[in-house]
Amino acid sequence: MTDAAAPGASPRTTPDVVAAAVERHRLVNLTGPLGSGKTWLASRLPSARVVDLSAPGAADAVSAALGARTGEPLVLDGADGPEALAALESVRPFGSAPAADGRPLLVVSRRSLLAQPGWTLSGASVLGVRPWEDERIGRLTAQAQLTDPPARELVVRLAGGNPLIAGAACRALHAGAAPDSPGAVADQVVREIFERLSRERPAERWRPALERLATMWAGDRELLNADRELFDALGGLSLVTRTELGLTVLEPFRRVIEQAHRWRQPAAHGGSRTRALTHRRSQLALDSPAVCRSRLAEGVMALSSDETIRETLFPASPSAGLIQTSVPGDADDIGGLMHRWARQGGMDTRRTDRLVERWLADDPAGFRLARDGDGRAVGVMGLVRVADTTVNSVESLLQQHTDRLLAPGRTESLVLGAAYCPDRGLHARLLRDLLHHVMANGLLLTVSTPNPHYQRLLRVLRFHQHGTTADDVYRCGRKPEIHSQDFGRDAIADWVGRLFLGPGGDGSRQPTGRDVGRALAHIGDTARLAHSPLLRPARVSTAAELAARLREGVRALADSELPEDAEAGWILLHYYLGRPQTHQQLARRLHMSRATYFRRLRHGLEALGRRLTAD
């Protein structure tokens, strides 16, 4: 599996697009999350009069604007919250045409008008504002005169395509917040977000509940400990939507609110996560339908503190679009997307094309497609159902592991050979959709992947690792690794326990980066190592063995093909196993900024801890 930027993203909404929509339709609803640039787009509509519905006397201003006999467009901005919607009553259509004497209307709102009582049958043409590309957010940071690369990187990462978040983060950095303290930056961003949200309803009660909800990823009334009034108030906010697990905050706002909450109230943040984990695991223990168990398992994964899981499966990126099973007419789209996947991963495209042709012939419905808001195929997942008719495709992916992993004649198994989507949000949905499917149907999922990033993802997800294939299947210089996980009826709860209690499910505490750092600092002192929490009788029983494992792990990390792992390994190698020097001296020697250096250091310690538990 792999993930990378590629051409083919949906065209963004521009002033010309808005103007064309107003020319074609009498009533247009320009909609998108707060801070997505709707007001700027509406203000560029030629010859239009703009009425701010959040200003005092909005209803009178709307009546006055309607009284002016003109054919020019009327823009009604800020149709959010009860008072603003009440001011729209005079223009709400009660038939097939709006009550404005034929004058074009552009209503700007955070949620679609079609979701509001009385507007569902209005005939409004809804035009959504899409997130900005990372490159465009990067240009905004340059315009804001941020010259420090770590600062610009932080803004792009926090923004998730939202210009309000990007601008607020730039202001926080200019005010003195440090790029290596994302929580401090997020805290100022959240203040601006909450100020905007208070126009929808006063923030006295829902603010702390919204912080808890963002930390929990999703929550019902019981988990949030909220009465009906508070729960309904949360659900009425434009940033909140409803899911199978209750309410959830839309990305990228959820991640920013959670980071600020963790920085401002670390104990409360940790308590909310622990409460959510306990709540969901208790629900998993009930005799609930498989579909419900799959959603609960997703909620458990969302609580992981591992950055690989969070950034791959739960990124701070919106995910507008659909995931669909392929049909015969999708063959050209599948071939084109798989060709991009091969090129991005440095694979032999001709070899990959032949494999894809075989997969399509053996299992035409074995692909899943991610489609953007315009219905275009922008991502693909290559799956092979295990059956007598697919044995050639399965063996090409698993090779010598085929007989050992898949019992003859077993049909409740899937083999994943590829996943590609340049859109981070849709890519995450594509992967989570697969997990839902295998959990809901009690399947055995086997993954064959040559990509180091996804090999690491499968390890931290506690899939069982079976080694590599005999051949370099894709001719890319890397043999695919084989991982599997049985998601039968009784297996999901066991897997969740292993995910949070350690690979052996023995309840022992997972080693932290701090544990690893302390052990490395005393790697030559067996008396000190003898008291390390890294020592576990089932895996590493002596201080000498632990020291050897640590040295081996550091060198393996430094030799990694993944640049981030290799840089982290070099830092550990030089700081802990090399000649004595300070962090500042080593950062200068490696030509790294202070923020990047310590980020790589933390990554290396955590990766080494995961390696020790996985051995």
Side-chain angles (χ1 to χ4, degrees):
M1 295 185 292
T2 190
D3 181 23
S10 299
R12 61 186 176 90
T13 307
T14 64
D16 289 341
V17 172
V18 176
V22 172
E23 287 181 5
R24 290 194 304 268
H25 306 280
R26 292 286 184 85
L27 175 60
V28 177
N29 178 207
L30 182 64
T31 184
L34 66 85
S36 55
K38 303 182 298 296
T39 296
W40 180 87
L41 284 167
S43 68
R44 298 306 190 270
L45 191 63
S47 306
R49 177 172 178 179
V50 180
V51 175
D52 183 0
L53 297 176
S54 65
D60 294 336
V62 172
S63 298
L66 292 175
R69 299 297 176 179
T70 174
E72 299 298 337
L74 173 61
V75 176
L76 304 175
D77 192 10
D80 307 296
E83 294 182 2
L85 290 170
L88 285 179
E89 279 301 302
S90 58
V91 300
R92 182 164 63 89
F94 293 90
S96 60
D101 295 331
R103 184 178 186 181
L105 293 176
L106 177 64
V107 180
V108 182
S109 61
R110 295 169 186 168
R111 273 185 173 163
S112 169
L113 278 180
L114 303 184
Q116 303 294 348
W119 288 88
T120 306
L121 302 179
S122 64
S125 175
V126 179
L127 180 63
V129 176
R130 295 178 180 166
W132 288 17
E133 301 86 357
D134 285 350
E135 292 78 10
R136 193 178 179 197
I137 295 291
R139 292 195 296 271
L140 185 149
T141 65
Q143 294 168 2
Q145 301 182 48
L146 283 182
T147 58
D148 184 29
R152 298 174 70 167
E153 176 188 333
L154 174 62
V155 172
V156 173
R157 190 170 70 250
L158 284 177
N162 185 274
L164 167 66
I165 295 177
C170 290
R171 288 187 284 276
L173 290 162
H174 279 306
D180 59 355
S181 180
V185 176
D187 186 62
Q188 181 161 325
V189 173
V190 168
R191 289 205 302 270
E192 296 195 27
I193 291 174
F194 283 178
E195 181 183 353
R196 296 278 195 99
L197 279 179
S198 64
R199 301 174 190 174
E200 300 177 22
R201 59 185 66 226
E204 286 80 8
R205 291 198 66 199
W206 58 254
R207 174 169 179 157
L210 186 63
E211 292 174 334
R212 293 197 302 273
L213 178 60
T215 298
M216 295 171 173
W217 190 69
D220 51 36
R221 276 185 59 192
E222 293 176 354
L223 180 54
L224 290 168
N225 194 25
D227 57 34
R228 180 177 295 276
E229 181 183 359
L230 176 57
F231 192 76
D232 290 344
L234 278 176
L237 295 173
S238 62
L239 294 187
V240 177
T241 189
R242 287 167 169 78
T243 69
E244 292 87 343
L245 296 183
L247 302 178
T248 190
V249 184
L250 297 174
E251 298 290 1
F253 302 95
R254 189 204 65 80
R255 180 70 68 87
V256 175
I257 294 172
E258 184 196 358
Q259 282 190 308
H261 184 42
R262 181 171 54 201
W263 178 82
R264 185 183 284 257
Q265 295 178 285
H269 174 271
S272 293
R273 290 174 59 84
T274 300
R275 175 181 170 83
L277 179 59
T278 302
H279 182 69
R280 289 180 187 138
R281 292 186 65 186
S282 66
Q283 289 177 299
L284 272 172
L286 301 175
D287 188 19
S288 54
V291 173
C292 296
R293 292 200 301 274
S294 73
R295 295 298 180 185
L296 289 168
E298 177 184 29
V300 170
M301 285 190 293
L303 294 171
S304 172
S305 59
D306 186 276
E307 281 303 308
T308 301
I309 294 177
R310 290 166 67 89
E311 291 299 328
T312 307
L313 297 178
F314 305 94
S317 302
S319 57
L322 295 172
I323 310 297
Q324 297 177 327
T325 300
S326 62
V327 297
D330 293 325
D332 288 343
D333 286 333
I334 291 170
L337 289 166
M338 290 294 292
H339 192 80
R340 291 185 200 169
W341 171 73
R343 290 181 58 188
Q344 190 278 335
M347 304 172 193
D348 185 320
T349 55
R350 289 177 294 181
R351 166 73 171 171
T352 303
D353 290 344
R354 289 195 295 271
L355 288 171
V356 172
E357 289 175 3
R358 180 187 299 171
W359 297 351
L360 281 169
D362 286 352
D363 192 1
F367 288 84
R368 297 280 283 170
L369 289 173
R371 297 188 181 277
D372 63 16
D374 293 328
R376 297 185 305 173
V378 295
V380 66
M381 177 180 288
L383 297 163
V384 180
R385 291 175 294 178
V386 177
D388 292 339
T389 56
T390 62
V391 63
N392 290 332
S393 292
V394 170
E395 287 184 345
S396 69
L397 291 169
L398 303 184
Q399 296 192 354
Q400 77 272 21
H401 302 281
T402 304
D403 292 338
R404 181 162 58 90
L405 288 174
L406 307 175
R410 179 168 182 172
T411 57
E412 64 274 16
S413 300
L414 281 178
V415 178
L416 174 63
Y420 167 80
C421 186
D423 182 290
R424 283 194 300 270
L426 269 178
H427 183 264
R429 275 188 56 193
L430 195 64
L431 295 177
R432 298 206 310 266
D433 177 81
L434 169 65
L435 291 173
H436 285 313
H437 178 71
V438 296
M439 290 179 191
N441 292 281
L443 305 180
L444 169 66
L445 176 64
T446 305
V447 184
S448 174
T449 173
N451 186 279
H453 173 79
Y454 286 97
Q455 292 168 1
R456 186 166 72 245
L457 173 66
L458 293 165
R459 286 195 289 270
V460 297
L461 283 176
R462 309 303 183 206
F463 277 40
H464 299 288
Q465 186 175 354
H466 304 285
T468 63
T469 56
D471 299 328
D472 177 0
V473 176
Y474 299 100
R475 308 294 187 263
C476 61
R478 303 183 304 275
K479 295 180 180 180
E481 280 188 4
I482 310 301
H483 300 254
S484 70
Q485 175 59 42
D486 190 347
F487 287 106
R489 179 175 181 82
D490 298 324
I492 295 179
D494 292 340
W495 171 68
V496 167
R498 193 167 72 250
L499 187 63
F500 276 84
L501 294 179
D506 57 4
S508 55
R509 182 173 69 86
Q510 285 287 86
T512 65
R514 180 174 296 181
D515 295 331
V516 176
R518 287 173 175 168
L520 285 171
H522 303 291
I523 196 167
D525 188 341
T526 55
R528 296 286 293 271
L529 281 184
H531 299 286
S532 172
L534 300 178
L535 284 175
R536 296 182 184 177
R539 286 185 285 275
V540 183
S541 56
T542 68
E545 185 182 358
L546 174 59
R549 292 281 187 91
L550 287 169
R551 289 191 175 92
E552 177 188 350
V554 168
R555 293 189 176 95
L557 202 61
D559 291 336
S560 172
E561 296 178 357
L562 201 65
E564 184 182 18
D565 282 0
E567 289 179 357
W570 272 95
I571 289 174
L572 300 184
L573 186 66
H574 287 274
Y575 183 75
Y576 291 106
L577 305 183
R579 62 180 178 81
Q581 56 190 311
T582 66
H583 287 301
Q584 290 77 9
Q585 289 171 333
L586 185 54
R588 285 196 298 269
R589 182 181 170 190
L590 297 177
H591 306 290
M592 287 184 180
S593 68
R594 183 175 181 272
T596 300
Y597 174 86
F598 282 104
R599 188 160 57 246
R600 293 290 186 271
L601 174 64
R602 288 192 296 270
H603 173 77
L605 293 173
E606 292 167 0
L608 187 52
R610 290 192 296 268
R611 178 184 176 89
L612 287 171
T613 58
D615 285 343

